[in-house]
Every structure is written in C-alpha cells, then in structure tokens.
C-alpha cells in the first residue's frame, strides 16, 4: 500500500471522528435544550393557571400566591390574546416600535406568530365561551443555549483550519529546507569526482587522441557537470532569460534516444519557428527529462513517447504523452506529492521537483491532462509567454 493511501485513510478517519464528535455534541445540546424547553412549558402552564385564577378571583380570594407566580416570570416572553386576537397583556417583550399604536400592533403580530407556531395555552373565562390564549416564546437564555453549539463548532472549525494550515506551511518549509540542503550537498559532493573525471579525460585525450569512446566519455562528464549545476540551483531563484523551447526539447530527445532502448520511440511535434520563452534552460530540461524517464518506466521499456509544443495567444504549451500503464484516478492528485511513487524503487521526488521548477521558478503550471489505465498518460505544461 502506498503511503499516500495510508495518509488518505488517516484523513478519512480523522474527518469521520470529527463528524461523530460534532454530531454527538449537537445531539447532547439538542436534548438539553429540549429538556429546558419542556421546563419552560411547565412554567408557562403554571403561569397560565395563575392567570386563570386571577380572572376567576373575587373579593374574598387571596391573590398573594397568584401574583407571586405571575411576577416571578422575568425571562420567558409571554403575550395574552383574547379570542379575537387582540392583546390583553404581555411581559418580557423587546419592543421595536415608535409609538403606543405601533407597540400594540407589533406585540399583536408577535403573539399571532406564537399562536400559529402552536406555542400557546388556552384558558377559559368563567362558564362562557370566552377564552384567552397565553402565547409564549423561548427565553433569551434558551435561545442562546440553542445557538451556542453551532458557534462553538464554528470557532473550533476555524481553529482547526488555522492549525492545519500552519502545520502544512511548517511542514512545507521544513521539506524545502531539507530539499535545498540535500541538493546543495549533492552538488558539493559531485564537484570533486567531476573535477577528477575532467582531468582524467584530458589525460586520456593526450595519450589516446584517436579513441572513439573519448567523445562519449566527455559528453557524460559534461552531463554530470550539468546535473551538479542543477542541484546547486535548487533553493535559489534562477534568473530566467530568453531561450528557445525547441532547443530544450531537442536536447532532451537527443539525450533520451541515446539512453533508451530501440523499443522506445520518441516522436516530436515541434513548430518550425523557434518558440522563445523566458526560462532557465538547464532546469527546464530537467523537468522534461523527468517526465520522459517516468514515461519510459510506465511503459516498462516499450512504447511511444510524444513531445508536442505549440504557442497559444498567452501561453506556450508543452505536452508529454506516453503509451504506458496509466495512473489510477485516485492517485492523479498525488503524483506531485513528495514521496509518492508507484515504482518499487525510487524516492518519489522527481515530479514534485518538476512542479516546483515549473510553478515557483517559471510561474507556469504543470498537471496531468489525461490518464487512462492501460492506454497511457499525458502531462501538460503551460508557460507564460
């Protein structure tokens, strides 16, 4: 199993855990709010009974307990409507009106909304058909308690997002430092043997000037020198200069033709006129070489690689197409992730470095245009003119 698959599974488990925690928190809050709402309903039933007792009282009735109950409600909004829907009394209502007439109208509309929401208690007046409706709403405290879990989850979500962003940024910065250090150390370590090889090559030229292998050895030494130069440039921003993209692709094709079997055919679709782009040619050759080498591996040494180049209105387009085994859909988004590889051997850094060279150094864009299992993959690079 690829380590990216394991990371994906860990992410899924974390998301599922977070959802379970969030749902559990909301359920607990819901049941708590429901219990408190039932308590407020019982209080309003007692309050409505006290109002009924007040309506039925005569001069001999002791109203001290009744009045105590009615005055004790300082939190629950309540509006008393008669059978015609007119306001008889109200308490704990936040009035949003300019005058007395507007106040009555405002309270009346609020009372009807409570009635329509089935939040009322009906009390009869005497033995007649007359009645009153004690309409009520949730208290401010209950509303705040009902909203608090969502506010809390929002705050936690923001904190988690910020924390993840900070961790990813820190991880990316750490990876960059490791890559830069590794690249520069590699360039430094390559410097000494390359210098020795150059000296030995010059000695061989003097002693065996007609040897046919010396030119090829010289090319390989220069190739090593170019590789060391590329490694030394990682971590610094190279100054782009006008260069021919045709020449870059031609150099890569020449290099790959010498180092791949005859079973691998490289086809080039290059325009006749030079396509000039501001770039670091050495680093950009490295990008195309990486794509071609990955294509050879994907084709297992047999197939066709097609390099295409054309100039659009604003961008220069390069495509590297192969007839290899293709990339699974779930892996396409991970191909540029450091460490991702489908090969048994390899560090999984080639495509991530290619992406960095294209996007950070040249302000371009590289992505998988198409990929089909068993038919091949097409990588596309878009470079600004």
């Amino acid at each position: 199993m690829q380590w990216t698959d394991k990371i994906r599974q860990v992410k899924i488990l974390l998301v599922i855990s977070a959802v379970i925690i969030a749902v559990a928190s909301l359920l607990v809050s819901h049941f708590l709010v429901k219990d408190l709402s039932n308590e407020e309903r019982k209080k309003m039933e007692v309050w409505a009974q006290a109002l009924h007792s007040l309506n039925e009282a005569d001069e001999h009735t002791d109203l001290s307990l009744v009045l105590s109950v009615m005055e004790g409600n300082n939190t629950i909004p309540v509006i008393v409507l008669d059978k015609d829907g007119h306001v008889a009394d109200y308490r704990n209502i936040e009035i949003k009106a300019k005058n007395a007439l507007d106040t009555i109208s405002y309270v009346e509309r609020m009372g009807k909304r409570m009635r329509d929401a089935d939040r009322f208690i009906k009390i009869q007046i005497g033995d007649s058909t007359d009645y009153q409706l004690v309409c009520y709403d949730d208290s401010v405290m209950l509303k705040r308690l009902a909203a608090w879990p969502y506010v809390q989850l929002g705050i936690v979500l923001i904190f988690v997002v910020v924390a993840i962003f900070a961790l990813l940024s820190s991880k990316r910065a750490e990876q960059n430092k490791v890559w830069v250090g590794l690249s520069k150390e590699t360039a430094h370590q390559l410097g000494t043997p390359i210098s020795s090889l150059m000296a030995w090559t010059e000695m061989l030229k003097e002693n065996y000037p007609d040897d046919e292998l010396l030119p090829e050895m010289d090319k390989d030494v220069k190739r090593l020198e170019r590789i060391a130069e590329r490694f030394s440039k990682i971590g610094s921003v190279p100054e782009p200069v006008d260069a021919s993209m045709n020449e870059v692709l031609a150099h890569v094709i020449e290099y790959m033709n010498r180092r791949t079997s005859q079973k691998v055919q490289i086809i080039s679709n290059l325009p006749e006129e030079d396509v000039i782009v501001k770039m670091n040619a050495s680093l950009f050759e490295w990008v195309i070489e990486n794509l071609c080498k990955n294509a050879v591996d994907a084709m297992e040494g047999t197939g066709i690689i097609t390099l295409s180049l054309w100039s659009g209105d604003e961008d220069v387009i390069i495509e590297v197409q192969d007839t290899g085994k293709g990339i699974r859909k779930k892996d396409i988004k991970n191909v540029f992730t450091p460490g991702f590889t489908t090969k048994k051997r390899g560090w999984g850094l080639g495509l991530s470095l290619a992406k960095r060279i294209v996007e950070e150094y040249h302000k371009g864009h590289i992505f998988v245009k198409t990929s089909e299992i068993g038919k091949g993959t097409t990588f596309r690079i878009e470079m600004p003119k």
Side-chain angles (χ1 to χ4, degrees):
M1 181 184 292
Q2 294 291 335
W3 69 273
T4 48
D5 292 336
K6 295 180 180 179
I7 290 178
R8 188 184 297 112
Q9 290 179 359
V10 171
K11 288 180 179 178
I12 291 173
L13 288 175
L14 288 174
V15 170
I16 292 174
S17 301
V19 170
I20 292 174
I21 293 172
V23 170
S25 176
L26 290 175
L27 285 175
V28 170
S29 299
H30 171 73
F31 289 122
L32 180 59
V33 169
K34 188 176 180 180
D35 291 341
L36 291 176
S37 180
N38 291 335
E39 288 295 321
E40 290 193 352
R41 168 79 183 188
K42 292 178 181 178
K43 289 182 180 179
M44 290 314 303
E45 289 175 352
V46 173
W47 196 92
Q49 187 61 40
L51 179 61
H52 181 264
S53 299
L54 182 62
N55 292 335
E56 299 294 326
D58 55 25
E59 64 274 9
H60 301 294
T61 306
D62 184 5
L63 298 177
S64 57
L65 181 59
V66 172
L67 294 175
S68 176
V69 170
M70 297 190 66
E71 293 296 333
N73 175 28
N74 297 314
T75 57
I76 304 174
V78 57
I79 300 173
V80 181
L81 300 178
D82 60 24
K83 65 178 183 179
D84 297 322
H86 300 308
V87 177
D89 192 12
Y90 62 88
R91 289 175 180 272
N92 307 318
I93 302 296
E94 184 180 353
I95 305 298
K96 296 180 180 179
K98 298 179 179 179
N99 51 53
L101 185 61
D102 289 342
T103 298
I104 295 300
S105 177
Y106 177 82
V107 174
E108 195 171 284
R109 289 196 303 272
M110 182 178 290
K112 289 178 179 178
R113 284 198 299 270
M114 295 176 185
R115 180 193 63 190
D116 295 340
D118 199 28
R119 298 178 67 90
F120 65 87
I121 299 170
K122 185 177 181 180
I123 57 175
Q124 293 294 136
I125 300 179
D127 297 328
S128 65
T129 58
D130 198 9
Y131 64 86
Q132 288 182 326
L133 298 179
V134 178
C135 304
Y136 64 94
D137 196 6
D138 292 332
S139 64
V140 175
M141 184 62 68
L142 186 58
K143 289 180 179 178
R144 289 176 179 174
L145 185 60
W148 172 244
Y150 300 98
V151 175
Q152 189 178 29
L153 287 175
I155 294 172
V156 170
L157 180 61
I158 292 172
F159 175 79
V160 169
V161 169
V162 172
I164 291 175
F165 180 78
L167 287 173
L168 290 177
S169 299
S170 175
K171 182 180 178 182
R172 192 177 297 112
E174 185 177 353
Q175 287 177 343
N176 288 339
K177 288 180 180 178
V178 171
W179 290 352
V180 171
L182 178 63
S183 299
K184 292 190 178 297
E185 180 63 21
T186 301
H188 177 72
Q189 294 294 335
L190 286 173
T192 302
I194 288 174
S195 299
S196 298
L197 286 171
M198 292 174 68
W200 283 112
T201 304
E202 291 301 322
M203 290 179 63
L204 288 172
K205 286 179 181 179
E206 292 178 3
N207 294 325
Y208 306 97
D210 299 325
D211 195 312
E212 296 179 356
L213 297 178
L214 284 176
E216 294 302 318
M217 291 177 61
D218 191 47
K219 288 180 181 179
D220 285 336
V221 171
K222 289 180 179 178
R223 174 73 183 171
L224 284 171
E225 191 176 11
R226 189 180 301 114
I227 291 172
E229 179 190 1
R230 290 172 179 174
F231 276 112
S232 67
K233 289 178 179 178
I234 297 295
S236 58
V237 180
E239 185 66 28
V241 296
D242 288 338
S244 171
M245 186 63 75
N246 304 59
E247 292 183 5
V248 168
L249 297 182
H251 290 163
V252 173
I253 292 171
E254 180 185 1
Y255 170 76
M256 293 300 299
N257 278 330
R258 292 202 310 267
R259 283 162 177 76
T260 53
S261 69
Q262 294 181 351
K263 295 180 180 180
V264 176
Q265 182 182 1
I266 302 178
I267 300 174
S268 62
N269 296 323
L270 308 181
E272 294 182 0
E273 66 279 2
D274 275 349
V275 178
I276 305 301
V277 180
K278 278 191 174 296
M279 61 178 168
N280 183 286
S282 178
L283 287 179
F284 207 83
E285 280 186 28
W286 194 4
V287 172
I288 306 300
E289 285 174 16
N290 266 308
L291 295 178
C292 290
K293 289 176 181 177
N294 284 341
V296 172
D297 291 337
M299 298 186 302
E300 297 180 345
T302 303
I304 300 173
I305 300 174
T306 304
L307 270 68
S308 303
L309 168 67
W310 67 91
S311 180
D313 295 333
E314 298 180 356
D315 298 325
V316 172
I317 311 299
I318 306 102
E319 287 189 355
V320 180
Q321 182 180 6
D322 65 61
T323 57
K325 57 187 177 182
I327 305 171
R328 296 180 299 177
K329 287 185 177 180
K330 68 175 185 176
D331 290 333
I332 288 179
K333 63 181 179 180
N334 294 318
V335 295
F336 297 105
T337 302
F340 175 82
T341 179
T342 56
K343 295 178 286 188
K344 294 181 179 179
R345 299 180 63 184
W347 291 91
L349 295 176
L351 287 177
S352 62
L353 288 172
K355 183 179 179 68
R356 180 173 181 175
I357 290 170
V358 172
E359 298 189 354
E360 293 188 21
Y361 293 169
H362 294 90
K363 308 304 178 186
H365 185 43
I366 181 172
F367 58 96
V368 178
K369 181 184 177 183
T370 58
S371 186
E372 190 172 349
I373 298 297
K375 291 189 177 181
T377 302
T378 300
F379 281 88
R380 181 167 181 154
I381 301 174
E382 298 175 353
M383 294 281 289
K385 282 190 174 179

